[in-house]
Structures are given as C-alpha cells and as structure tokens.
Amino acid sequence: MSKEANLDDERLVARLRDPSTCREAFGEVIRLYSEPLYRQIRRTVQSHEDADDVLQNTFLKAWQNIENFRGDARLSTWLYKIAINESLTFLEKEKKRRGLSLDDEESHVAALIHADTNIDGDALALKLREAIATLPEKQRLVFNMRYYDDMKYEQMSEIMGTSIGALKASYHLAVKKIEQFFEDSD
C-alpha cells in the first residue's frame, strides 16, 4: 500500500474515532468498500439477495465494533475479515436450515449459479463459477481473493489468520481441482 493510501486510511480511522465525525466517516467507509466487499461476499454466498443481507450485516458489525479496531491492520483488511466471517456464518446457518450434506450443498450452489439472473457471462465464466462452487470452503475463499481480487497472500494471511505457505498451497490445490473439473467436463 502506498504512503498516501496509508495516510488516507489513518485519517479515515481517526475520523471514525472522533464522535463529531464518525457518522460521516462511516458513510465514506460504506462508499469506499461496498463494492469490493459485495463482490467478495457474492462469490461466497452466490445469491444477490443473500449477498446484500450479508453486506448489511458486515457494515452493522463494523459500526458496532469500530471502537475495537486497533489499527494493527489496514481498515480494508479488518472489513474483509468481518465480511468473510459473516459470509461463513451465513453459509453455516443455511446449511443447518436446509439440512444439507456436502454433496447437497454443491448441488444447491450449482442451482443458485444457474438460476442467477443478475450475473451476465458467457458459458466459460459460468463453468468457472460451477468449478469454484465444488471447492472446499477455504480453497474457494482463497481462490476468489487471489484470482478475482488479485489480493496478495500477505493480506489474505491477515484476513484469514492462516500462514502464507498454507494459503499458497490452498490456491495451488484449488487451481488443480478447477483444471480437473474442466478436463472432466469436456
């Protein structure tokens, strides 16, 4: 992150901590991070409506806990961590609510992908989404953050609390499984 971006982040955090500017600053947080967080959440939960709900919960949790943000990590890292945790919590609740096994969950996610009218894309993009849906949860998260967001392993490590080596291994395994998915479907 550039010095300028780091300084902007520090200023924003300072404004968030100041009672006279915190509401306005949080509006800026929402403006800055809604789109990237939504994309990350959407790739995890698949449904547009569910992603909107999880995004709202993410910002609510961030607002309620802003005083606990110590500034050890970047604000974006802290927000991604909340978003991912909220996404995983949502998926767990959905799994329990639906009583889904792992195979049932993959079928459910595939059905969501095919039923989604909010995503444009060609057949190859759809096939990639299907392949990603077959990955285990952690590999799917790592693949999405690296492939779609071009996120560095260092930032992923901060967000997920996992070593860089383990993240690289997860990404490599995910790529191999996706390649196998494409080979098997030809």
Side-chain angles (χ1 to χ4, degrees):
M1 183 157 82
S2 71
K3 280 187 176 182
E4 186 177 305
N6 196 26
L7 191 58
D8 288 344
D9 202 46
E10 288 174 16
R11 285 185 193 133
L12 184 56
V13 170
R15 288 177 46 225
L16 286 166
R17 291 198 170 127
D18 182 344
S20 68
T21 58
C22 66
R23 286 188 181 277
E24 178 187 332
F26 199 76
E28 189 171 333
V29 167
I30 292 170
R31 184 183 59 74
L32 288 170
Y33 294 105
S34 285
E35 189 176 322
L37 290 174
Y38 172 84
R39 285 193 313 265
Q40 177 62 47
I41 293 166
R42 177 67 186 270
R43 286 189 294 268
T44 304
V45 302
Q46 299 300 323
S47 156
H48 169 69
E49 291 78 16
D50 293 338
D52 275 346
D53 290 345
V54 173
L55 180 63
Q56 187 174 14
N57 289 343
T58 298
F59 282 126
L60 182 61
K61 191 156 276 185
W63 175 253
Q64 292 169 339
N65 293 288
I66 195 68
E67 71 277 354
N68 297 329
F69 177 67
R70 296 185 311 272
D72 298 340
R74 295 186 345 227
L75 183 62
S76 62
T77 300
W78 183 67
L79 291 168
Y80 266 94
K81 189 172 202 162
I82 294 171
I84 288 169
N85 287 336
E86 287 297 305
S87 298
L88 295 175
T89 298
F90 172 82
L91 290 176
E92 273 305 308
K93 286 180 183 174
E94 279 297 293
K95 220 183 302 184
K96 286 178 183 169
R97 187 177 73 79
R98 295 177 190 278
L100 296 176
S101 70
L102 188 58
D103 290 337
D104 292 337
E105 181 184 6
E106 285 179 15
S107 298
H108 174 69
V109 171
L112 285 174
I113 290 169
H114 285 287
D116 191 348
T117 58
N118 292 306
I119 296 285
D120 293 330
D122 57 18
L124 190 58
L126 182 63
K127 192 149 202 100
L128 177 59
R129 288 183 68 206
E130 290 172 353
I132 293 168
T134 67
L135 296 172
E137 210 166 74
K138 184 173 182 177
Q139 287 177 14
R140 188 174 9 168
L141 284 169
V142 171
F143 183 84
N144 284 334
M145 287 190 278
R146 185 76 182 146
Y147 182 79
Y148 288 110
D149 296 334
D150 198 25
M151 193 177 289
K152 302 216 178 305
Y153 287 111
E154 292 79 10
Q155 187 177 9
M156 281 191 269
S157 177
E158 287 180 46
I159 291 169
M160 298 179 75
T162 304
S163 74
I164 292 171
L167 292 167
K168 287 180 177 180
S170 288
Y171 183 75
H172 178 74
L173 287 170
V175 169
K176 291 292 180 199
K177 288 177 181 176
I178 289 169
E179 287 171 352
Q180 190 63 50
F181 181 90
F182 274 89
E183 287 173 17
D184 291 347
S185 62
D186 285 342

